[in-house]
């Protein structure tokens, strides 16, 4: 695949529109299909607006923006995608809808056409099962907003051809993205490894160790994260974040490590979805309601140590189960969710032995399986080794 390859994007929502913009600005003739014509019109207007904004900011030349816009067609017939070399699906997160769509698009395109899915929680295996040639189906998980976030997780299913993975990777790399390879397991890399960022913060709050602004303050000021966990949950939307947690929890056969929180569930039930509803963990309707953190550094350090330890344990476990390589796990968390450091590198800085000792203390304190140290950490600690 190269610039002459036609790109098809199915689903003109948040992700589809963003992916189309990436492809079109990198020279591809891009065809965007959606069953909803208002979504197509919204996506067309958004593309125009975003390209103009990039020109105003001096990020791209006016001619590049004009070319990208004229290269993109918004179509209301799936058959218009017939000559595409790659189709990226970004429709609703529903297996029946995706299966039906893959069965429909497969006979329209050529045998060599790659069919990629942007799913974040379904298995690539289950989607590929709808196709006669399942080897052409691959996961290409972009992050929101697709034009800005550099990471793309490439996810081969059990049936995916190696060539399809290599070609898709080369194409998306040429779009200036950072690609990592992830096993077809729940949450892939980022949505799995990041769970404790929210889950352990909620737990610390629920236990009454610290309040919401204090935990956010500690993670930003002392931990170096760009946003605190509660700010981030409010930003993502508590409904969306809670749904991801529930789906990962169920997909792991209810492993207690991923158990969702009642606090967040109640906020969702009450309609306190976060920024978009004006109220979540924080109240965005009243500027005077600014929450004041307790800036006790000893307490702050304890909060950061506990959450980061749990994140490292999750990253180590992802490596243990060969979800991805060491390099890709660290890259995914720094480029996909802007963590200040790769978690495995962070483990080495703290010392793997110390991480194990912190996990063991938590496990002894709570007597819960949630705090079991990953076998990967135990092995490295016993050998006196680090990850890097
Ligand atoms: P969205 O709800 O903004 O857009 C979905 C679009 O698909 C809608 O315009 C809808 O009309 C269209 N659609 C539904 N069924 C269709 C069909 N059969 N044929 C053609 N079009 C159809 O959804 P969003 O957020 O863009 O998500 C799309 C996919 O990307 C989902 O699989 C989601 O899990 C995944 N994803 C979402 C991320 C996010 O942050 N929003 C991040 C990464 C992946």
């Amino acid at each position: 695949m190269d610039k002459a390859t036609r790109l098809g994007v199915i689903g003109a929502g948040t992700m589809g529109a963003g992916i189309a913009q990436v492809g079109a600005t990198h020279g591809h003739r891009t065809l965007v299909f959606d069953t909803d014509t208002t979504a197509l019109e919204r996506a067309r207007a958004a593309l125009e607006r975003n390209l103009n904004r990039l020109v105003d900011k001096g990020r791209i030349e006016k001619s590049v923006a004009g070319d990208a816009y004229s290269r993109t067609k918004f179509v209301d017939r799936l058959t218009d995608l017939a000559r595409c070399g790659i189709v990226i699906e970004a429709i609703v997160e529903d297996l029946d809808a995706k299966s039906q769509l893959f069965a429909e698009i497969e006979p329209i395109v050529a045998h060599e056409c790659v069919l990629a899915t942007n799913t974040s929680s379904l298995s690539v295996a289950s989607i590929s099962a709808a196709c006669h040639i399942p080897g052409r189906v691959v996961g290409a998980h972009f992050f929101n907003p697709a034009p800005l976030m550099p990471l793309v997780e490439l996810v081969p299913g059990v049936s995916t051809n190696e060539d399809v993975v290599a070609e898709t990777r080369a194409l998306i790399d040429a779009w200036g993205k950072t690609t990592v390879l992830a096993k077809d397991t729940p949450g892939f890399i980022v949505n799995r490894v990041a769970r404790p960022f929210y889950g352990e913060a909620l737990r610390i709050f629920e236990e009454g160790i610290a309040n919401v602004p204090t935990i956010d303050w500690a993670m930003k000021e002392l931990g170096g994260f760009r946003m605190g966990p509660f700010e981030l949950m409010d930003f993502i939307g508590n409904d969306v974040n809670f749904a991801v947690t529930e789906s990962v929890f169920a997909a792991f056969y209810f492993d207690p490590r991923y158990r969702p929180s009642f606090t967040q569930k109640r906020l969702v039930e009450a309609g306190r979805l976060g920024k978009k509803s004006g109220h979540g963990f924080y109240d965005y309707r009243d500027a005077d309601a600014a929450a004041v953190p307790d800036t006790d550094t000893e307490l702050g350090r304890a909060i950061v140590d506990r959450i980061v330890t749990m994140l490292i344990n999750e990253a180590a476990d992802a490596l243990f189960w060969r979800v991805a390589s060491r390099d890709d796990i660290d890259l995914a968390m720094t480029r996909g969710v802007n963590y200040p450091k790769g978690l495995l590198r962070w483990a080495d800085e703290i010392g793997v032995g110390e991480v194990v000792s912190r996990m063991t203390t938590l496990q002894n304190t709570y007597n819960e399986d949630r705090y079991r140290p990953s076998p990967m950490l135990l092995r490295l600690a016993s050998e006196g080794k680090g990850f890097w």
Side-chain angles (χ1 to χ4, degrees), residues 9-17 19 33-40 42 78 89-94 97-98 100-101 104 117-122 127 140-145 191 236 240:
V9 176
I10 307 184
T14 314
M15 295 307 291
I19 295 166
F33 168 79
D34 200 293
T35 41
D36 178 357
T37 48
T38 57
L40 284 174
R42 252 199 321 271
L78 204 51
E89 168 275 316
I91 69 164
V92 278
E93 189 74 341
D94 175 276
K98 291 197 197 276
Q100 204 183 327
L101 173 73
E104 235 176 292
T117 172
N118 188 45
T119 186
S120 44
S121 65
L122 300 167
I127 296 169
H141 184 222
F142 287 75
F143 289 74
N144 186 18
N191 280 342
I236 293 168
V240 174

Side-chain angles (χ1 to χ4, degrees), residues 223-246:
F225 289 85
R226 280 207 199 157
M227 285 176 96
F230 297 96
E231 281 174 344
L232 188 53
M233 286 184 272
D234 270 0
F235 181 77
I236 293 168
N238 282 302
D239 51 342
V240 174
N241 185 261
F242 184 71
V244 176
T245 306
E246 267 199 319

Side-chain angles (χ1 to χ4, degrees), residues 131-148:
C131 290
H132 289 292
I133 315 173
R136 59 157 88 184
V137 179
V138 63
H141 184 222
F142 287 75
F143 289 74
N144 186 18
L148 293 181

